[in-house]
Amino acid sequence: MTGKWVDGVAARRPVAWAAAVVLVLEALGILFLNWVLSIVVDKQQMSMAGVDPGVMSTGAWALGAVFALCLVCCAALLTRIALRDRPPGTLGRIALISCAVAHAVLGAFAVGLVGWAAFAVLMAVLALLVLTLTSYGTTYDLPNDEDTGRGGGPGTPATTPARPTS
């Protein structure tokens, strides 16, 4: 069956769109948070282990920008997935899995440092990423019994494995 229902999943495009929008909003929030952090560090002349406050301020801003850029790249990948309705390639899948792992780790830290509301938001983003990854599973054209006269496809052994002897 083709059309909206592919592999039994009908809502995968909207989920990919929602994940992309949420990641862009999160990237903007990260940029804003690190901008405020860099201003506070600079105005208070904060220093750790004798590091210049200007360097710490620039470092906070740069790290926030790099993380936001990573989130925007993942959002662009999710947008591409939603537009084409095709699963990501290997590098795209690795990027989305890395983004999901980062959200899981940040969620674990957020419980203790910020609270349960931040944890819930991060877990919602994690759920969107995981749902997108699982709904766009690998797509192989596996032959079935009627097409070839035998079962299986790539990864299926041609013969039954032999039983080990003692």
Side-chain angles (χ1 to χ4, degrees), residues 28-118:
L28 291 173
I30 293 290
L31 274 177
F32 177 73
L33 182 68
N34 279 292
W35 175 65
V36 169
L37 181 64
S38 70
I39 289 173
V40 169
V41 167
D42 200 34
K43 296 286 184 192
Q44 295 294 323
Q45 294 295 312
M46 295 178 182
S47 177
M48 286 178 61
V51 177
D52 183 44
V55 171
M56 290 187 61
S57 174
T58 305
W61 178 243
L63 187 61
V66 167
F67 188 53
L69 181 65
C70 177
L71 291 174
V72 168
C73 287
C74 287
L77 178 64
L78 286 166
T79 302
R80 183 172 182 248
I81 290 169
L83 285 173
R84 294 179 60 213
D85 200 24
R86 296 192 184 266
T90 303
L91 291 178
R93 190 171 295 275
I94 290 170
L96 291 178
I97 290 171
S98 299
C99 188
V101 168
H103 278 84
V105 171
L106 287 175
F109 284 126
V111 171
L113 297 175
V114 182
W116 287 101

